[in-house]
Amino acid sequence: MTFKAWFAQWSARQVWERGTTLAAQQAASSVTFADVPMRQIRPSHVQQWVKAMSQPARGRKTGLAPSTIRTRYNYVHMAMRAAVVDRIIKTDPSAGVPLPRTRRASASMTIPAADDVGRTLSAAPEWFQPFIAVCAFAGLRLGEAAGLRLEDVDFLRRTISVRRQLQGENSATTQPVAPKFGSERVVYAPADLMALLAKHVERAGVQRGDWLFTNAGQPLNRNSAGHQWRQIRKVTGLDGYTLHDLRHFYASGLIASGCDVVTVQRALGHSSATITLGVYSHLWPTAEDRTRAAAGDLMAAALGDSADSLRTKGL
């Protein structure tokens, strides 16, 4: 049995959402050993594949990003481990294969400044402003924001319930699915955001059961929302920021306001606090920061007004 045949059998048994299935298929189609019998695949085959993804190829000027390579490798690695369990092969040839280093979150994450978010809202078409707002001020992912219906917004309690997401690249392929694992949640929204949504509902004539955000009568999808965002970036000159970066903006605001990791985890819909820390740990104050601040408070309390005179004298 070749790897291609095994992967088709194994993946067909998995309980995956459409997006996961497509990502897995993309990973399998990229391997350089698809037609090699499973028992003849060696670690060197996997190493060659990883190196090929790291280098320029037809249709791309640079190699794939390390995070993309890691994602593709993970699907292949899962299939290989399953083959060991099913006794198709004795050992997993993908185990321990070195992967390109990924950048630290603190170096790779881009977080818009508050005035940048304000500029995007000002430049956006009136109907698209509330979509940007729920991403920036409620931390919703693109698919979660696109999947909102009117009944998901409780204007009295000022909450937004994330019950579904829309997956798909265009109108033909877009469909509602369950949120990512652990992401179904209730977001406690600020009054100004609720007022913006209420005005949008009144202006757009949204009825119960309707999608909250539509374009030409169709719910937004990755392509249509992305197109609108790219148009706004051209007007504002904010190249490099994605709609997902608005979610980082929201998370950074919660952390800066003193929210603990569990609060941030629940607001973002992460399945565990470990994931939240893995993504945003660099934004929380370090022990050194807290020590310095605490010592400063002690000094201010002990010296009072005399602290100002000490600073004036240069002591």
Side-chain angles (χ1 to χ4, degrees):
M1 179 183 293
T2 65
F3 173 81
K4 182 178 180 179
W6 165 251
F7 196 92
Q9 288 187 19
W10 170 75
S11 60
R13 297 194 294 267
Q14 306 310 307
V15 185
W16 286 338
E17 297 291 351
R18 178 177 176 275
T20 304
T21 300
L22 291 175
Q25 291 173 347
Q26 189 176 38
S29 64
S30 72
V31 302
T32 52
F33 46 86
D35 297 322
V36 178
M38 288 290 289
R39 293 182 180 179
Q40 294 181 20
I41 297 176
R42 302 289 180 260
S44 57
H45 287 97
V46 184
Q47 291 169 351
Q48 182 183 18
W49 168 56
V50 170
K51 183 175 182 179
M53 289 191 290
S54 306
Q55 297 176 333
R58 182 181 299 177
R60 65 172 192 258
K61 296 180 179 179
T62 61
L64 296 177
S67 58
T68 302
I69 294 174
R70 187 173 294 272
T71 298
R72 292 189 179 185
Y73 164 83
N74 286 338
Y75 285 116
V76 172
H77 184 43
M78 286 190 291
M80 292 293 191
R81 286 188 299 176
V84 174
V85 173
D86 263 18
R87 299 182 181 179
I88 303 297
I89 52 179
K90 291 184 178 181
T91 59
D92 174 9
S94 67
V97 170
L99 300 173
R101 292 183 180 180
T102 56
R103 296 177 66 193
R104 294 170 55 187
S106 57
S108 60
M109 183 179 295
T110 55
I111 303 176
D115 59 344
D116 291 336
V117 176
R119 287 165 60 193
T120 61
L121 284 167
S122 298
E126 196 172 42
W127 67 269
F128 195 62
Q129 288 176 354
F131 186 88
I132 294 175
V134 296
C135 295
F137 307 121
L140 271 62
R141 301 176 177 91
L142 188 159
E144 294 171 344
L148 288 177
R149 295 186 184 273
L150 178 58
E151 55 265 32
D152 297 326
V153 183
D154 189 326
F155 292 96
L156 182 62
R157 294 179 175 83
R158 290 188 290 173
T159 62
I160 299 173
S161 296
V162 179
R163 300 187 174 111
R164 73 193 69 79
Q165 60 174 325
L166 289 186
Q167 280 193 353
E169 296 73 34
N170 51 54
S171 299
T173 60
T174 297
Q175 60 181 343
V177 298
K180 294 179 68 174
F181 180 74
S183 291
E184 191 167 355
R185 63 196 185 278
V186 174
V187 179
Y188 300 93
D192 288 343
L193 176 57
M194 302 309 289
L196 183 63
L197 292 176
K199 186 180 295 185
H200 167 74
V201 168
E202 181 182 5
R203 183 176 58 249
V206 182
Q207 302 294 319
R208 184 172 180 82
D210 289 349
W211 298 109
L212 191 60
F213 305 114
T214 59
N215 184 22
Q218 296 294 324
L220 291 172
N221 54 62
R222 185 168 298 280
N223 284 352
S224 58
H227 171 73
Q228 290 295 328
W229 180 252
R230 287 190 293 273
Q231 296 301 112
I232 294 168
R233 288 195 316 188
K234 288 181 181 178
V235 173
T236 59
L238 297 175
D239 290 335
Y241 289 126
T242 67
L243 272 169
H244 195 76
D245 289 334
L246 298 178
R247 180 170 160 87
H248 297 326
F249 169 77
Y250 174 72
S252 68
L254 296 183
I255 294 170
S257 296
C259 293
D260 60 79
V261 63
V262 174
T263 299
V264 177
Q265 171 208 340
R266 291 173 177 170
L268 294 175
H270 287 157
S271 58
S272 71
T274 302
I275 294 175
T276 308
L277 284 172
V279 178
Y280 298 110
S281 61
H282 64 285
L283 297 180
W284 263 283
T286 64
E288 292 83 358
D289 294 331
R290 289 191 294 269
T291 300
R292 188 177 292 110
D297 292 341
L298 285 173
M299 186 172 181
L303 299 176
D305 294 337
S306 58
D308 292 330
S309 62
L310 287 174
R311 284 193 293 270
T312 303
K313 294 178 181 179
L315 299 179

